[in-house]
Amino acid sequence: MDEGQSVTEPTTKRIVPTAAQIRAARGFLGWSQERLALASGVSRSTVEGFEQGKRAAKEETIERLAEACERRGIVFSNETHQTVGLHPEKALLPV
């Protein structure tokens, strides 16, 4: 590589889950909206508004909701269909 060229590492595009996927993830985990709010650091009314389509959530908020679920083994997919799965072996924290 010539001097001055930079190496770019491949980036993994994070899936931005839909409200339905977040709601399904809560179902897999057996969580209430309050529990998800506590785990993600957002208000319960934010979770409720987002899930019910009453409120548009900021990208940062959706990321926080997704990360709280993913740390407990939830996997979001938007490849051919919008899906949610629970993979306990991928959990970083217990449910």
Side-chain angles (χ1 to χ4, degrees), residues 80-95:
T80 57
H81 300 293
Q82 295 173 337
T83 62
V84 178
L86 177 60
H87 298 272
E89 71 281 0
K90 294 185 178 188
L92 301 176
L93 298 171
V95 177

Side-chain angles (χ1 to χ4, degrees), residues 12-67:
T12 303
K13 184 172 169 123
R14 178 178 206 100
I15 292 171
V16 179
T18 65
Q21 287 175 299
I22 293 292
R23 193 170 43 254
R26 279 196 312 103
F28 275 121
L29 296 171
W31 283 4
S32 65
Q33 289 176 343
E34 182 68 30
R35 178 68 183 95
L36 177 55
L38 289 170
S40 60
V42 303
S43 71
R44 190 208 50 81
S45 64
T46 296
V47 175
E48 178 183 25
F50 174 63
E51 285 187 354
Q52 293 180 357
K54 294 179 180 177
R55 174 184 301 171
K58 296 178 186 175
E59 187 174 334
E60 176 186 343
T61 300
I62 298 170
E63 287 176 4
R64 290 172 77 172
L65 296 170
E67 287 172 1

Side-chain angles (χ1 to χ4, degrees), residues 6-10:
S6 64
V7 174
T8 57
E9 295 187 28

Side-chain angles (χ1 to χ4, degrees), residues 66-79:
E67 287 172 1
C69 295
E70 289 168 342
R71 287 192 301 268
R72 274 79 178 184
I74 292 293
V75 176
F76 297 101
S77 174
N78 287 339
E79 291 180 18

